[in-house]
Amino acid sequence: MVTKSLQKGLLLATVLLLTLSLAACGPKSNGSIVEGKVNVITTFYPIYEFTAEIGGEDANVINLLPVGVEPHDWTPRSQDIISTSKAQLFLYNGAGLEGWVPNFLKSLDRDSKTKAVEVSQGVKLITTDEDDGHDHGHEQEGEEAEADGHGDSLHTDPHTWVSPKSALVMAKNIKDSLQSVDPAHTEGYEERYQKLADRLSALDLKFTEELGKLPNKEIVVSHQAFSYLARDYGLSQHAIMGLSPDAEPRGQDLVKLAALVKAEGIRYIFFEELVSDKLAKTLASETGVSTMVLNPVEGLTEAQQKNGDNYFTLMEKNLQNLILALQ
């Protein structure tokens, strides 16, 4: 019977997931402060990539998050506080992704001139009553939360960058912040930003055209990281876990999902590389379907880094996998 075996599989998978997330302690942050250059500290991969592209030779960009580590579970070390205190710019996603940021900024040296910028500003944020497994203390306040009448139970979905439309807003914020701390190189930042924006616009157009043609719109994913992608390109996302990959699903949720997969004739369950694929595989084997990668581009694996992958190659693979799954 689906229920019993599914719940047993779920229990095993949850134990494995917790073990893996505890083991995901990566190496120290990479890169060091360079005198005489604009030093920019970024919190995780997509912001690092966009900043490095826009910054070019004018900026020294240091990413805090080590390769192969999932950003939801990571917290900074004392060395990161020292480096950030000496930098001109600290760029973080915001929207609740880095719950450690307020305390981190308070810990910087008293005479630090570091400017902190939340690069998701201006993206129309998505709120959900799914628990993200973290106490951020500064969740979506005000209008949207009150409008929905949920108050405290609403959480902001932080995965803005997974949609090229939102990534465009973020790239502009990065460019503006570089120009504000380093006006001498305004033109260079503008020029490189324009190139990046053109590539993001082309990617956005490709997602719009290709996904618009497909007959099916329902996707089942391991972690609720694709709301912005789904909203911007007309898909419906069903997640095994919540906003955080360690937010545990309940047995009844998995049984419901299994029923949905069968009813909708869904052929693939998506999983991601930086998180255990155990639950996705459990659900896939229960429902007799296959699994495939849909990458939330939160970071590169070591293999992807060696392979020269980046935001664009990973998003291109996502698009090809979506086309395959939704035909």
Side-chain angles (χ1 to χ4, degrees):
M1 193 172 143
V2 169
T3 316
K4 278 228 165 123
S5 58
L6 198 53
Q7 285 181 324
K8 195 175 168 192
L10 165 69
L11 190 67
L12 282 169
T14 306
V15 171
L16 182 77
L17 205 64
L18 288 171
T19 317
L20 283 176
S21 67
L22 289 172
C25 296
K28 286 266 186 285
S29 66
N30 36 22
S32 52
I33 295 292
V34 174
E35 291 300 322
K37 257 197 175 179
V38 170
N39 290 281
V40 187
I41 308 284
T42 59
T43 53
F44 78 129
Y45 179 71
I47 298 179
Y48 169 76
E49 183 185 326
F50 297 161
T51 308
E53 286 215 20
I54 299 167
E57 69 277 5
D58 297 324
N60 174 45
V61 188
I62 300 165
N63 195 35
L64 291 184
L65 201 77
V67 172
V69 175
E70 217 286 326
H72 291 269
D73 298 323
W74 183 83
T75 47
R77 297 160 184 78
S78 52
Q79 182 52 50
D80 300 324
I81 294 171
I82 295 165
S83 300
T84 306
S85 296
K86 294 176 183 164
Q88 282 70 44
L89 206 50
F90 172 70
L91 301 178
Y92 65 106
N93 190 72
L97 181 71
E98 308 97 334
W100 47 268
V101 162
N103 287 334
F104 180 79
L105 292 174
K106 281 180 203 147
S107 314
L108 299 183
D109 289 352
R110 225 171 307 168
D111 53 358
S112 170
K113 303 271 195 297
T114 313
K115 179 178 178 174
V117 176
E118 185 175 8
V119 303
S120 65
Q121 284 290 338
V123 173
K124 188 172 181 343
L125 296 177
I126 292 172
T127 50
T128 171
D129 54 9
E130 280 289 334
D131 187 11
D132 62 355
H134 291 279
D135 173 23
H136 297 306
H138 63 288
E139 291 305 347
Q140 186 77 348
E141 293 152 6
E143 296 161 30
E144 267 186 84
E146 280 166 25
D148 287 82
H150 291 293
D152 288 346
S153 65
L154 274 188
H155 296 275
T156 303
D157 185 329
H159 305 92
T160 50
W161 64 92
V162 190
S163 160
K165 278 195 202 318
S166 305
L168 270 160
V169 176
M170 295 167 71
K172 184 177 185 303
N173 289 339
I174 293 167
K175 184 259 297 183
D176 291 346
S177 60
L178 281 164
Q179 289 175 327
S180 76
V181 297
D182 184 22
H185 296 109
T186 293
E187 279 174 32
Y189 295 136
E190 191 64 52
E191 205 173 292
R192 290 184 294 265
Y193 156 72
Q194 217 45 71
K195 279 185 189 150
L196 177 63
D198 289 348
R199 290 173 72 198
L200 285 169
S201 297
L203 189 65
D204 168 41
L205 186 65
K206 196 168 179 186
F207 265 79
T208 304
E209 287 177 349
E210 297 292 336
L211 296 178
K213 290 180 208 163
L214 299 169
N216 300 307
K217 305 293 178 193
E218 311 282 332
I219 58 171
V220 176
V221 297
S222 59
H223 144 222
Q224 191 180 326
F226 302 95
S227 301
Y228 293 89
L229 186 77
R231 175 185 74 187
D232 292 344
Y233 304 102
L235 304 177
S236 258
Q237 164 187 247
H238 307 277
I240 299 173
M241 291 171 278
L243 290 176
S244 165
D246 54 11
E248 290 173 30
R250 294 168 306 200
Q252 71 220 50
D253 296 337
L254 276 178
V255 173
K256 257 193 218 153
L257 267 180
L260 173 93
V261 167
K262 288 177 172 166
E264 292 285 340
I266 288 167
R267 294 178 302 132
Y268 291 95
I269 309 285
F270 288 111
F271 69 95
E272 54 198 75
E273 288 107 326
L274 292 180
V275 176
S276 165
D277 60 359
K278 194 86 171 82
L279 287 174
K281 289 204 160 134
T282 301
L283 182 59
S285 70
E286 284 298 333
T287 49
V289 302
S290 307
T291 56
M292 191 161 37
V293 170
L294 194 62
N295 194 322
V297 203
E298 294 179 337
L300 299 180
T301 62
E302 292 195 0
Q304 286 164 343
Q305 191 180 42
K306 284 198 182 91
N307 191 27
D309 273 315
N310 58 34
Y311 180 85
F312 291 93
T313 64
L314 297 179
M315 287 298 287
E316 191 65 57
K317 279 178 196 157
N318 280 346
L319 180 58
Q320 296 317 315
N321 285 355
L322 283 166
I323 291 169
L324 190 61
L326 296 172
Q327 272 167 358

